[in-house]
Amino acid sequence: MKAVLIESGEESKAVTGHGVNRGFSVFDLVLRIVAIVGTLAGAVAMGTAEQTLPFVTQLVQFSAQYGDFDSFKYLFVIVNAIVCAYLALSLPFSIFHIMRSRAGKSRILLTFLDAIMLVLLTSGASAAAAIVYLAHNGNSSANWFSICQQYTDFCQRSAGSLIGSFGAMFCLVLLIIFLAVAKSRR
């Protein structure tokens, strides 16, 4: 009798929808892990970016480090750390959604919190991208010179840290879309 119920049209749709939601939940877990790696790599790469150049003698040296730029220190490294911590704390919810694909309220909560984290990460990465742009190109009208001709390692590391952050932003956008789709399929 149970086999007959599963083969009926209405019950078959429920079983198929359950499998699709479980697939969304697995993809959600993978995206969260990828976003954790991106934000952690971005924060560590920026937080450890520094380069020292000797001037005329070894007694006089010029250095560039992430702490010299407030937007790197506060808006980028700290925001990446906050988003990374949030994503790590949201992993149990993602695992819960794999086991219980019909959970609805926790999906709504995650969608809301993911949107907030996306806004935070976008603001921090955008501010850091503006500083990296100025470091690479300078601004002739303000008499700001490009520092990346002298501090190439520092600039490469700071630009590379943006890649992880923008990758995590892309993952968060996908997470929001897939959580919304999984919720609407219920």
Side-chain angles (χ1 to χ4, degrees):
M1 180 138 182
K2 190 165 189 152
V4 174
L5 286 175
I6 291 177
E7 291 179 6
S8 72
E10 189 174 302
E11 187 67 30
S12 176
K13 288 180 186 177
V15 170
T16 305
H18 179 72
V20 170
N21 281 347
R22 179 163 286 162
F24 280 143
S25 298
V26 170
F27 193 60
D28 174 77
L29 178 67
V30 170
L31 279 175
R32 287 186 189 283
I33 292 171
V34 170
I36 287 171
V37 170
T39 55
L40 183 62
V44 168
M46 185 67 78
T48 59
E50 81 176 79
Q51 184 178 2
T52 303
L53 296 175
F55 184 58
V56 177
T57 65
Q58 290 290 63
L59 296 175
V60 178
Q61 295 181 345
F62 294 111
S63 68
Q65 45 187 261
Y66 93 99
D68 295 338
F69 303 96
D70 287 338
S71 64
F72 284 165
K73 187 174 9 178
Y74 299 113
L75 290 177
F76 189 76
V77 175
I78 293 174
V79 165
N80 270 320
I82 289 170
V83 173
C84 184
Y86 159 74
L87 288 168
L89 291 174
S90 70
L91 285 177
F93 285 105
S94 188
I95 293 169
F96 175 73
H97 290 150
I98 292 172
M99 295 185 302
R100 296 217 174 253
S101 61
R102 300 293 250 170
K105 292 180 183 177
S106 59
R107 285 189 198 274
I108 293 171
L109 176 67
L110 278 182
T111 304
F112 178 72
L113 293 175
D114 286 347
I116 291 172
M117 292 301 134
L118 177 62
V119 169
L120 274 175
L121 192 59
T122 302
S123 67
S126 298
I131 298 299
V132 169
Y133 177 81
L134 281 175
H136 278 280
N137 299 322
N139 187 342
S140 60
S141 62
N143 287 330
W144 293 342
F145 300 106
S146 169
I147 66 164
C148 287
Q149 294 170 351
Q150 293 83 21
Y151 297 99
T152 56
D153 292 341
F154 173 77
C155 288
Q156 286 175 353
R157 194 162 194 152
S158 61
S161 67
L162 288 173
I163 294 171
S165 204
F166 281 114
M169 285 170 42
F170 180 71
C171 288
L172 280 170
V173 167
L174 289 178
L175 278 170
I176 292 168
I177 291 169
F178 283 118
L179 281 172
V181 168
K183 180 63 182 149
S184 71
R185 293 184 60 83
R186 186 177 161 212

